């Protein structure tokens, strides 16, 4: 499953034909859980040493020329590199590596009774799938330490109060599709620039760097077709958005996992 997720993220980032009219990615799990963690049986059958080498070899090769993560990290970290929003839909169980995959998304919607845990301490390990990056952006250090050291299972409602999930709703997939529709009504260029702006400045302490980034991105947007189309929609003039020579629709890719396998489904939002 690790290879399939990393391959999907890598292709969405690098394959222009595949992503030319993609606007949103939604990650979900089928069945009773989003993801209940590492497939210990699968690791045992393939040989712990062989699996460990595959997971921890750096760089993994999926991150391209500027890749910095190993395979275990890239299944979470690479979602941050996509120019489109990534939404994780959580239900049932979201444990260990499954939670870290979700934390790599831009938004997370969960059911109130979803169970989440940074569970690695129960196996005598630490969370090593980019948790050191994503957790610092979402929760206080003491919260990250407590959840990591104890492996405590929390509800979706508590996760929302701590900042681990964006919102708790009864139907997180419906909420994801609703937000996807709102996002696809905006300029794809401004959406991509918004993601880049915050990903590149959120933990930067130098104000000048942050302010310069805002101006650099804004200058790339002003006066473009998509900026004019977005402005026109505020006056009831519904012009289409374009990606260079491609007329953009409102396509979302739903990436779901079940039984250790992944499947991709394109859907209009």
């Amino acid at each position: 499953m690790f290879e399939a997720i990393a391959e999907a993220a890598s292709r969405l980032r690098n394959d222009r034909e595949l992503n030319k009219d993609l606007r949103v990615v939604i990650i979900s799990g089928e069945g009773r859980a989003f993801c209940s963690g590492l497939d210990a049986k699968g690791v045992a059958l393939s040989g712990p040493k062989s699996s460990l080498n595959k997971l921890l070899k750096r760089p993994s090769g999926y991150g391209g020329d500027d890749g910095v993560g190993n395979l275990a990290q890239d299944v979470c970290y690479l979602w941050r590199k996509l120019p489109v929003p990534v939404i994780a839909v959580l239900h049932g169980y979201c444990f260990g590596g499954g939670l870290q995959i979700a934390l790599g998304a831009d938004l997370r919607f969960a059911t109130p009774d979803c169970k989440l845990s940074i569970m690695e301490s129960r196996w005598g390990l630490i969370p090593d799938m980019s948790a050191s990056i994503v957790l610092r952006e979402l929760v206080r250090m003491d919260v990250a330490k407590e959840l990591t050291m104890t492996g405590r299972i929390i509800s979706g409602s508590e996760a929302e109060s701590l900042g681990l999930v964006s919102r708790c709703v009864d139907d997180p997939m419906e909420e994801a599709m609703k937000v996807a529709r709102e996002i696809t009504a905006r300029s794809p260029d401004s959406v991509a620039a918004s993601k880049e702006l915050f990903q590149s400045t959120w933990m930067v302490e130098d104000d000048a760097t942050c302010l310069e980034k805002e101006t650099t991105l804004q200058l790339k947007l002003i006066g473009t077709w998509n900026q004019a189309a977005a402005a026109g929609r505020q006056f009831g003039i519904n012009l289409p958005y374009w990606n260079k020579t491609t007329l953009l629709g409102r396509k979302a890719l739903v990436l779901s996992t079940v039984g250790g396998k992944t499947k991709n489904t394109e859907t209009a939002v």
Side-chain angles (χ1 to χ4, degrees):
M1 186 176 74
F2 279 84
E3 291 94 337
I5 295 175
E7 174 66 23
S10 179
R11 287 191 62 206
L12 288 171
R13 181 187 180 195
N14 299 309
D15 189 332
R16 293 184 179 180
E17 184 63 28
L18 179 67
N19 66 25
K20 65 182 180 182
D21 59 346
L22 182 66
R23 302 295 310 278
V24 179
V25 173
I26 299 174
I27 307 174
S28 68
E30 295 187 2
R32 66 188 184 95
F34 172 77
C35 181
S36 56
L38 182 67
D39 179 10
K41 180 179 179 180
V43 170
L45 290 175
S46 62
K49 185 174 182 180
S50 173
S51 295
L52 192 64
N53 290 338
K54 183 183 296 184
L55 288 173
L56 301 186
K57 178 184 176 182
R58 183 186 312 281
S60 70
Y62 291 102
D65 294 336
D66 58 344
V68 295
N70 58 40
L71 176 57
Q73 293 161 340
D74 277 350
V75 297
C76 313
Y77 184 72
L78 289 183
W79 298 118
R80 299 162 60 89
K81 298 298 184 179
L82 297 189
V84 298
V86 179
I87 304 173
V89 173
L90 312 180
H91 74 286
Y93 303 102
C94 187
F95 292 161
L99 177 55
Q100 291 180 78
I101 292 172
L103 295 179
D106 300 297
L107 303 170
R108 285 158 298 284
F109 301 132
T111 59
D113 60 352
C114 179
K115 299 183 185 300
L116 305 91
S117 175
I118 304 172
M119 195 166 274
E120 284 77 5
S121 65
R122 299 189 180 206
W123 300 87
L125 301 170
I126 61 169
D128 66 337
M129 295 168 61
S130 75
S132 59
I133 296 173
V134 295
L135 279 175
R136 71 187 183 194
E137 296 174 351
L138 299 173
V139 301
R140 301 192 316 260
M141 186 186 295
D142 62 325
V143 172
K145 287 179 178 178
E146 187 252 329
L147 293 177
T148 300
M149 293 174 180
T150 64
R152 183 167 66 88
I153 297 174
I154 62 175
S155 67
S157 298
E158 184 177 357
E160 180 184 27
S161 70
L162 293 174
L164 284 177
V165 301
S166 311
R167 197 148 55 242
C168 273
V169 291
D170 291 333
D171 190 336
M173 179 58 80
E174 180 181 330
E175 185 72 7
M177 297 300 288
K178 173 187 173 184
V179 172
R181 284 191 291 271
E182 294 174 350
I183 290 172
T184 58
R186 309 303 176 209
S187 162
D189 299 336
S190 68
V191 170
S194 297
K195 179 169 178 173
E196 181 181 348
L197 173 64
F198 293 122
Q199 293 283 191
S200 62
T201 63
W202 200 256
M203 302 302 294
V204 174
E205 296 183 359
D206 178 26
D207 288 351
T209 298
C210 298
L211 296 175
E212 182 179 353
K213 186 68 172 181
E214 288 181 6
T215 303
T216 299
L217 292 172
Q218 193 76 300
L219 287 172
K220 292 180 180 179
L221 299 174
I222 293 174
T224 62
W225 172 271
N226 284 339
Q227 191 260 316
R233 293 185 181 204
Q234 305 312 303
F235 300 96
I237 305 172
N238 291 316
L239 297 174
Y241 293 123
W242 288 80
N243 180 3
K244 295 181 179 179
T245 60
T246 302
L247 178 65
L248 291 178
R250 301 178 69 167
K251 185 178 79 175
L253 178 71
V254 180
L255 175 69
S256 57
T257 62
V258 59
K261 299 180 179 180
T262 64
K263 70 175 185 180
N264 303 334
T265 306
E266 293 183 2
T267 182
V269 294

